Amino acid sequence: MRIKCPVCGERPLEEYAYRGDAKVQRPRTHAPDQANAWHDYVYLRDNPKGRQKEHWRHSGGCGAWLVVDRDTYTHEIFSVRLTKAARRRAK
Amino acid sequence: MSAQAYRLERGGLVERSKPLHFTFDQLQYDGYAGDTLASALLANGVRLVGRSFKYHRPRGIFTAGNYEPNALVELRNGARREPNTQATMAELFDGLEATSQNRWPNLSLDLLSVNSKLSPLLSAGFYYKTFMWPRSFWTKVYEPFIRRAAGLGSAAGANDPDRYEKAYAHCDVLVVGSGPAGLMAAEAASGAGARVILCEEHPRIGGALLTERIEIDGRPGQDWALDARSRLQASGVRIMPRTAVVGWYDGNTFAAMERVADHLAEPPAHLPRQRLWRIAAKQVVIATGAQERPLVFPDNDRPGVMLASAARTYVNQYAVRPGRRAVIFGNNQSMETTAHDLARAGVDIAAIIDPKDVVSSDISHVVRGQGVAVVRGGRSISGVKPSGRGAKTIGCDLICVAGGWNPSVHLISQRGMKPVWDNEIQSFVPPVTSGPGFICVGASRGLYSTESCLEDGYQAGLAAAREAGFKDVETATRTFTASGPEQGRVEPLWRPESGAKGKCFVDMQNDVTDKDVSLAAREGYVSVEHLKRYTTLGMATDQGKTANVPGLGLLAGDLGKEIGEVGTTTFRPPYAPVSLGVIAGHSRGPTWRPVRRTAFHGWAEEQGAKFIEAGLWMRWHYFPRAGEGFAEATAREVNQVRNAAGFADVSTLGKIDIQGRDAVELINRVYTNSFTKLPIGRARYGLMLREDGIALDDGTVTRFDKDRFFITTTTGEAGHVMEHLEYCHQVLWPELDVQMVSASDAWAGLAIAGPKSRDVIAELVDGFDVSNEAFPFLSAAEITVCGGVPAKLFRISFSGELAYELCVPYGFGDAVVRTLAERGARHGLVPYGLEALGIMRIEKGHVAGSEITGWATAGDLGLGWMVPEKKPHNYIGRAMAAREGLIDPNREVLVGLKSLNPSEKVPAGSHLIADGALNSPEADHGHVTATTWSPTLNAYIALGVLKRGRERHGEILRAANPLQKYDVMVEVADPVFYDPENARVRD
């Protein structure tokens, strides 16, 4: 698999570290009534066969966190973009 | 027999001016440059080269390529001995030593060939059936026997003396295979401007142009290939001979193995033995050609039975007659070509056995409508008896088998594309001939005429260049006038003649017969994947390149289905055998992974330091003086720190420079404790949690300015924490105005500890006031030392003594440590290693990696005080740390443990059992995490975790270590054994 880092260009898989589903949203508060939301956020992940947006880090390169739109079955990559803060840093 | 009695006087691509000497089973032979071991053996009349895997049947040379199932030999000797090498792929070199395999005591007389008589016991799935009872026989009798009998060659048993490399290449168009189609594809793509790599597994470029008698535009194929090679070289195509593309992966990435020096006795000093390439290609042209398949008939494995295309290769390329008198047996018209090529080389054609009546009527000696009933001979062939009633044996020493062609669909199959059956040509072909990033051409997609392969390759080369981004390339066709072999009419012929006697092999390398396939079908293994695993058909090192399709043909017949309905198994990488050495590359022995040395390494080596690998680092372990062992040296180091001063290398700690208007906000969100009120010039201990509420790492946070922080992490978690902080910033909170950079390698760090450490530091600083009043505990400053070296000075302590940490730029490290050691000597300063550091941290009750295990909470570690209730931030781990299970008072928490008998050690890992209870999971209340002899307390002490441990100080427990059969009584204590008031650090 090859991923095109917006900063460094197309690079091989080993330069990247995988994290997982980019869709999950961190609950905004730590209030006790948020317990279920926290459980979902920390532990529950979809496991789709097909297209998914994922977090990857270019750990062997610029260190940027990326959102990679990838098909988990064919490994086709539809888009790679920097997260907002990484975009700012790249400027 | 005279030397090379089977060599032709003229022709072929061997260099008769370069004779080579080699041995096979200790006998001397001669060959020529350009030979393979197989062709040289055939030239010398050697027919018997090995014994088969299961039945130990005599076997010869069956193919002329990488699909050889029989002629597997050991090459070379000693540490370079290489078992299971295909003689058909081994290039001859002067002095080559080859040995046959799988026979005892020798090749002609092999005692285990009795297995052939035992074959009813060794049928498909025998290992599930035969050796099942009595059960107790398995380990003592059956397994040792099977292990001795199984397997082919034996490994060298010594370290491989050669080097292996990994390399990377990029191109617009990768062409796999250099036959007519591949050559034209490379030429067309290169002409269109594309960067082209052409990989060919054989040493010579040309593919079928070398092995068949082909003419293109009036030029002999072998000459035409040379011309094409020159044209490609001139146009900048990167030609990689001896390079097999073995894997096709996502993103059009290819693995290719280059046999750089396999054709030499030893690699020259500057070259590796083999090289593993990773090739990233925008487009690939698959021009892998096709391989001939055998037919299934009685004793079709005898030495002297050979694929017809292989026989043609031996006469055309290697100028070797594979026999004197041949019978040709097949199901397609290429038998005519074979007869013609062999006759031209002086081989008598005894007969063409043509059961399907495909040979033209003007050919003589054709036995029509009959198959092969009997093959006479054992270690060589003496004749063939056709199956017709009253047929007489036809004398011969060579049987050429033409069973049709298999396009090499392996790479396509690796990508998950299922080959489909083409009834017209009786072959599996790619389901599509092109798709995103690839085009299949020539024989690999079932085109068998030279003209069509050339034209197909040319068009594909242009198309690949266009797809790779050379948009101006226009479609064009080019026509050629060529003649060459044709498959012509081909008829299905899968099953041996009914009533034929003798074993009919399908997979020769794994000794699978037609009866095994039928047995599997009868027993219900009707899926092709089950058939493969039950019979082991196709599971040998040749991956069933010759065996698979005949096996499918038989299975389809047994099931009353069409081959296309039965389908085929999936080919997986690697396409050709790949050595473990080349997969490891440089990652072995001392170059297994990088060795990281700190700036002080050279100095410490001069001091006679012992080093220890810790994580990726070489760290100081201890500094023995004359007459000291490990225990004496570490005890002295501890005593010196406690009573005077010592220094340790702390360069390996992670260091992160965090700056920006929101730096303090980010820090507050990732640590449990609050840093809002941390003054400039002060440091504070900090604890990070994971989002699930478990402790992640600890370290110090120092504020050098309002918006400028410097944090440290443990050595082991340095990379992980950096990644974590970048995730927090870039993904969770991009709105924060903050920047960070890892400074771990930029700064070399020293801890200077002990009651005299202030005097030592005073010797280094450039006029900086280090008095307790001006620079109290937890102070930090950016200063200069040793006359202008920039430095960060911290007053922090891990040892429990008055202590400092000094960071200087990496490049100054060596000079600074020398100055420190010299100036500190008058204050009793000594270096101390990781062992002394570890002893002192246990004495002081500091947690480290053996306690921060990934399941310990802040409370478990006795760090509950670092988790303030009032902090407003929704910091990482806060919500989940409040879960019921993580605040359960019954959790195992950090305790100190004193050995009741101070001279009895407490082994790490011991379980803590209530006094009087037997060992059981219920009585197990915790375990020992770290243990040491304490020179300070003159006793064995330990740290551990214990259920409700904080309430149990003073209780007596049994530390049980059933593995070491060792129990010791311990008293539960506060984990801080030394200076519990923490007064010394503040002095």
Side-chain angles (χ1 to χ4, degrees), chain B residues 30-342:
Chain B
D30 291 336
Y32 293 129
D35 263 326
T36 60
L37 175 60
S39 67
L41 287 170
L42 288 171
N44 287 282
V46 177
R47 296 287 176 270
L48 172 66
V49 295
R51 290 271 172 175
S52 74
F53 178 64
K54 201 159 80 175
Y55 301 130
H56 291 249
R57 305 247 308 184
R59 292 285 167 82
I61 292 160
F62 190 68
T63 72
N66 73 5
Y67 41 118
E68 176 61 41
N70 287 339
L72 304 179
V73 297
E74 286 179 2
L75 291 189
R76 301 180 171 85
N77 243 325
R80 285 196 172 84
R81 187 170 72 203
E82 190 186 344
N84 307 341
T85 310
Q86 292 171 323
T88 49
M89 291 300 283
E91 291 176 58
L92 198 67
F93 56 81
D94 203 43
L96 173 68
E97 291 175 59
T99 316
S100 62
Q101 302 185 149
N102 210 31
R103 79 287 187 273
W104 186 87
N106 61 49
L107 192 51
S108 297
L109 173 70
D110 176 21
L111 294 180
L112 275 173
S113 59
V114 68
N115 281 4
S116 206
K117 305 281 188 291
L118 299 175
S119 59
L121 293 178
L122 299 173
S123 62
F126 75 94
Y127 33 82
Y128 303 127
K129 298 170 180 165
T130 308
F131 297 106
M132 296 307 285
W133 31 253
R135 203 183 169 86
S136 59
F137 270 37
W138 177 252
T139 49
K140 294 258 160 51
V141 181
Y142 296 143
E143 192 185 356
F145 169 77
I146 291 171
R147 286 207 183 281
R148 197 170 53 244
L152 293 165
S154 46
N159 281 338
D160 188 335
D162 294 329
R163 284 190 302 119
Y164 297 84
E165 278 183 3
K166 292 186 186 179
Y168 299 82
H170 300 257
C171 60
D172 297 313
V173 178
L174 170 66
V175 180
V176 186
S178 73
L183 285 175
M184 282 324 298
E187 189 167 333
S190 173
R195 279 186 312 162
V196 177
I197 293 178
L198 174 65
C199 288
E200 167 57 52
E201 69 175 322
H202 291 283
R204 273 176 190 271
I205 298 302
L209 295 169
L210 309 178
T211 65
E212 303 282 7
R213 286 196 313 111
I214 288 173
E215 229 178 62
I216 303 173
D217 297 338
R219 291 274 283 162
Q222 295 180 344
D223 298 340
W224 194 89
L226 274 181
D227 297 347
R229 189 195 161 109
S230 306
R231 286 200 303 276
L232 293 181
Q233 251 164 351
S235 71
V237 170
R238 180 172 193 168
I239 300 175
M240 299 179 69
R242 298 191 175 95
T243 305
V245 174
V246 294
W248 180 6
Y249 302 93
D250 299 299
N252 255 16
T253 305
F254 297 82
M257 192 180 93
E258 183 182 7
R259 295 178 296 131
V260 182
D262 279 3
H263 62 295
L264 306 171
E266 280 180 28
H270 66 286
L271 281 181
R273 174 79 180 272
Q274 295 170 345
R275 205 178 267 136
L276 189 63
W277 286 91
R278 177 182 302 192
I279 302 171
K282 288 184 187 154
Q283 292 286 315
V284 62
V285 176
I286 306 285
T288 46
Q291 294 171 340
E292 197 169 35
R293 62 183 178 239
L295 293 168
V296 182
F297 58 93
D299 295 319
N300 58 345
D301 64 325
R302 293 297 186 207
V305 179
M306 180 181 285
L307 288 175
S309 58
R312 297 201 296 275
T313 300
Y314 288 116
V315 295
N316 294 330
Q317 179 172 353
Y318 299 106
V320 171
R321 275 187 294 266
R324 297 198 187 281
R325 191 171 155 82
V327 165
I328 301 166
F329 174 41
N331 66 347
N332 65 80
Q333 276 180 298
S334 74
M335 287 192 285
E336 298 174 21
T337 312
T338 307
H340 195 256
D341 286 9
L342 291 180

Side-chain angles (χ1 to χ4, degrees), chain A:
Chain A
M1 219 158 88
R2 296 174 63 79
I3 298 176
K4 191 168 182 181
C5 171
V7 180
C8 308
E10 189 177 291
R11 312 293 303 169
L13 182 65
E14 305 87 305
E15 290 190 10
Y16 296 86
Y18 177 74
R19 181 175 172 111
D21 190 355
K23 183 169 76 253
V24 293
Q25 286 292 323
R26 189 171 191 266
R28 301 186 69 83
T29 79
H30 57 279
D33 63 356
Q34 294 291 300
N36 285 337
W38 276 102
H39 177 267
D40 291 358
Y41 170 66
V42 172
Y43 293 114
L44 294 191
R45 294 291 180 275
D46 293 338
N47 186 19
K49 177 183 176 181
R51 208 162 156 169
Q52 174 173 250
K53 288 198 168 95
E54 299 166 335
H55 279 137
W56 290 73
R57 179 178 182 247
H58 194 192
S59 48
C62 59
W65 279 96
L66 309 171
V67 179
V68 178
D69 186 357
R70 181 180 73 108
D71 188 306
T72 60
Y73 181 64
T74 64
H75 299 313
E76 185 177 354
I77 292 171
F78 303 96
S79 72
V80 183
R81 60 179 182 81
L82 293 169
T83 57
K84 198 172 163 192
R87 277 206 296 280
R88 197 161 56 232
R89 192 174 71 172
K91 288 177 196 164

Side-chain angles (χ1 to χ4, degrees), chain B residues 798-876:
Chain B
F798 194 59
S799 56
E801 302 296 336
L802 166 67
Y804 299 84
E805 278 183 23
L806 177 69
C807 289
V808 295
Y810 180 91
F812 286 105
D814 183 67
V816 168
V817 77
R818 289 173 194 278
T819 309
L820 170 70
E822 185 198 323
R823 295 187 192 170
R826 75 190 73 140
H827 304 286
L829 182 76
V830 298
Y832 65 97
L834 205 55
E835 191 65 26
L837 196 93
I839 293 171
M840 288 190 280
R841 79 105 184 164
I842 296 174
E843 291 177 341
K844 193 63 188 167
H846 285 311
V847 290
S850 51
E851 289 80 31
I852 307 177
T853 50
W855 63 82
T857 66
D860 299 345
L861 297 169
L863 300 176
W865 58 274
M866 295 181 69
V867 187
E869 286 286 324
K870 285 192 303 191
K871 188 177 173 182
H873 300 87
N874 177 20
Y875 59 78
I876 299 286

Side-chain angles (χ1 to χ4, degrees), chain B residues 686-749:
Chain B
L687 175 70
M688 286 184 193
L689 302 183
R690 307 190 309 216
E691 197 70 280
D692 63 359
I694 301 295
L696 167 64
D697 197 44
D698 63 344
T700 56
V701 177
T702 303
R703 188 174 215 166
F704 282 118
D705 210 335
K706 182 166 170 289
D707 298 335
R708 193 156 64 82
F709 291 80
F710 191 81
I711 73 166
T712 62
T713 76
T714 59
T715 300
E717 293 295 312
H720 188 191
V721 170
M722 185 70 204
E723 179 180 316
H724 172 64
L725 293 189
E726 285 188 325
Y727 180 82
C728 290
H729 175 225
Q730 294 180 27
V731 178
L732 295 182
W733 306 307
E735 69 280 7
L736 295 183
D737 181 5
V738 58
Q739 302 287 329
M740 68 188 85
V741 66
S742 167
S744 301
D745 295 343
W747 296 91

